[in-house]
DNA sequence: CAGTATCCATTTTGATACTG
DNA sequence: CAGTATCAAAATGGATACTG
């Protein structure tokens, strides 16, 4: 992981390095983002469903993370009613590709964190590109 | 991911829920921890090697993360000299099992984050239990 | 219900200096 | 080199109130 200046001028300057792990962390590496994605894998799609998850995400954080994930192309906001505007959130295929990351995390936890309660296997999430 | 009260009294109260994803995030879910683990996979073992990584982890953060990872049984501190005391850090087998998580993150980044520069495949890390 | 906004406390961080 | 200590700044978090 030596310092190699990146040649790609479109490479986001807010990324700390070009290391794939570091890039993923710059996109998803906080306390809440992957939990929102987990919920999408559990086929939750509405704001209220996310807030009901047992971890209790604060609404301001949720709104922020939904915005960022959409900006990153990982989820898509789909209006299902225009007045008042109501939306549902879906994984894109880019987002659905995080399934292996979540799966690896789940397996590690099942093996190494006593007391975890896994959901039935993650269902195939519904994708909307 | 419904609210199920955990029966295991030894289950850490600081964990937000018994969801495996949430548990992993409570252990590793910040901006720096997985980068330290990545470095260990790249067979870096000494303090100075971690600080040389391109992301530039501050020394106070590094010291804190090494302490926490050791407390979590993910790494082990091995003294290689006693005066002055000098240590090297190694993955335990519990830590080495995070290889699949890192691997999944790397693959996702390679596919979806233009401009990432992957290292040669992660070598088999040296394990010390 | 689906958000937005606000306010404040706590945490995290970055930078730097210091010690043996 | 391998850390520890300090401190200000920034990010994040939690609680709650508010709107259509």
């Amino acid at each position: 992981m030596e310092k190699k200046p990146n040649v790609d001028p479109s490479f986001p300057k807010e990324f700390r390095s070009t290391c794939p792990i570091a890039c993923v962390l710059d996109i998803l590496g906080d306390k809440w983002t992957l939990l929102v994605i987990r919920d999408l894998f559990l086929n939750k799609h509405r704001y209220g469903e996310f807030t009901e998850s047992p971890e209790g995400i604060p609404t301001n954080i949720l709104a922020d993370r939904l915005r960022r994930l959409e900006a990153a192309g990982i989820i898509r906001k789909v209006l299902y009613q225009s007045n008042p505007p109501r939306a549902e959130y879906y994984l894109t295929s880019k987002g659905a590709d995080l399934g292996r990351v979540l799966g690896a995390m789940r397996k590690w936890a099942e093996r190494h964190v006593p007391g975890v309660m896994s959901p039935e296997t993650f269902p195939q999430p519904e994708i909307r590109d």
Side-chain angles (χ1 to χ4, degrees), chain A:
Chain A
M1 214 59 38
E2 286 68 40
K3 199 182 311 174
K4 304 175 199 166
N6 193 307
V7 275
D8 184 344
S10 79
F11 191 76
K13 59 179 177 345
E14 66 274 24
F15 283 4
R16 289 170 290 173
S17 79
T18 59
C19 166
I21 307 300
C23 291
V24 170
L25 291 176
D26 284 336
I27 298 169
L28 310 168
D30 72 290
K31 213 173 152 181
W32 294 107
T33 302
L34 279 175
L35 293 183
V36 175
I37 292 173
R38 171 205 64 188
D39 282 346
L40 289 161
F41 269 92
L42 296 173
N43 281 317
K44 300 184 181 183
H45 300 289
R46 300 194 179 179
Y47 203 89
E49 295 182 289
F50 302 132
T51 65
E52 284 161 14
S53 289
E55 297 84 10
I57 187 170
T59 57
N60 55 345
I61 306 277
L62 174 59
D64 176 73
R65 297 305 189 273
L66 290 171
R67 231 177 290 120
R68 291 190 200 208
L69 285 170
E70 195 189 10
I74 291 169
I75 68 174
R76 203 180 138 207
K77 183 175 187 167
V78 179
L79 293 175
Y80 67 89
Q81 170 186 312
S82 45
N83 162 288
R86 290 286 183 260
E88 291 183 322
Y89 299 90
Y90 289 89
L91 290 166
T92 61
S93 49
K94 177 176 178 179
D97 276 351
L98 288 166
R100 301 208 175 277
V101 175
L102 291 186
M105 290 173 66
R106 180 162 67 91
K107 279 207 87 153
W108 186 85
E110 285 170 356
R111 183 174 312 183
H112 293 291
V113 184
V116 295
M117 317 268 278
S118 284
E120 63 302 337
T121 284
F122 287 125
Q124 274 310 99
E126 195 181 340
I127 296 169
R128 300 279 182 96
D129 281 318

